[in-house]
Amino acid sequence: MKLALMGTQSNPVGSKWVAQYWYYRNMIFYKNLVNLITSGDDRIFVLYGAGHLYLLKQFLIESNIFNLKTAHDYINN
């Protein structure tokens, strides 16, 4: 969110970057994950940096395609 604040009123470079690059990049990750599915029984292990977690979780949950489990689900049990 700090990155989105970079720039000026007339040239909000940070907001442009977040909207045009970061969101797009995470959507490509999501698309690639969907393309890995070959059956309803598939399990896919995904390891990305923590900065991607929020958007990837959002995309995966809202798709209603995935039964998402995070490392946190396993570590705390």
Side-chain angles (χ1 to χ4, degrees), residues 3-73:
L3 183 60
L5 300 177
M6 292 178 62
T8 63
Q9 186 74 18
S10 61
N11 187 18
V13 293
S15 296
K16 287 179 184 178
W17 187 87
V18 170
Q20 294 174 349
Y21 178 73
W22 189 251
Y23 194 88
Y24 170 78
R25 180 179 168 106
N26 284 282
M27 187 58 71
I28 293 296
F29 293 157
Y30 164 74
K31 182 182 181 309
N32 290 338
L33 292 172
V34 171
N35 289 340
L36 290 174
I37 299 170
T38 59
S39 79
D41 295 326
D42 283 351
R43 292 180 181 204
I44 301 169
F45 176 78
V46 178
L47 181 63
Y48 281 104
H52 299 282
L53 183 61
Y54 180 84
L55 281 178
L56 283 177
K57 278 180 69 173
Q58 178 185 356
F59 298 157
L60 296 170
I61 290 169
E62 289 180 3
S63 73
N64 291 319
I65 297 172
F66 296 90
N67 179 11
L68 181 66
K69 299 287 184 185
T70 66
H72 187 267
D73 297 324

